[in-house]
Amino acid sequence: MRNIEYVLYAIMIVYAFKIYDSTMVLNSIDVYGEHVIPVSFKPMATLSLVLYSILPILTFYTFWLRKRYVGIYNFENYNDNLNIWQ
């Protein structure tokens, strides 16, 4: 569980990039004003931006839940608790 949480901290960088990328795509509609853009472009780009923005919120919520129910990681007694048969 600890390793998954540490990997999710690294994936937060990907979340930030995808939010930035979706914002740039949504703002590019003004640049390509003379091109034929489908009607569904703006709603789909907005939906993807909203969904990408929800991902970090849910990730931080799971971190909070883990800390609330499991507690902090005890690294000092980590080697003492390696015996699973106790």
Side-chain angles (χ1 to χ4, degrees), residues 26-56:
L26 188 58
N27 289 336
S28 70
I29 198 167
D30 296 332
V31 175
Y32 300 106
E34 297 178 6
H35 292 72
V36 177
I37 298 174
V39 178
S40 63
F41 175 77
K42 196 167 185 176
M44 290 305 291
T46 305
L47 179 66
S48 66
L49 178 64
V50 167
L51 291 176
Y52 281 133
S53 299
I54 290 174
L55 281 173

Side-chain angles (χ1 to χ4, degrees), residues 23-82:
T23 305
M24 290 296 112
V25 167
L26 188 58
N27 289 336
S28 70
I29 198 167
D30 296 332
V31 175
Y32 300 106
E34 297 178 6
H35 292 72
V36 177
I37 298 174
V39 178
S40 63
F41 175 77
K42 196 167 185 176
M44 290 305 291
T46 305
L47 179 66
S48 66
L49 178 64
V50 167
L51 291 176
Y52 281 133
S53 299
I54 290 174
L55 281 173
I57 295 168
L58 289 176
T59 304
F60 283 125
Y61 179 67
T62 58
F63 293 162
W64 177 76
L65 283 176
R66 194 263 329 144
K67 192 171 186 178
R68 182 176 171 200
Y69 289 116
V70 177
I72 61 171
Y73 294 122
N74 191 358
F75 291 109
E76 292 180 16
N77 292 335
Y78 183 71
N79 291 331
D80 298 335
N81 298 325
L82 288 179

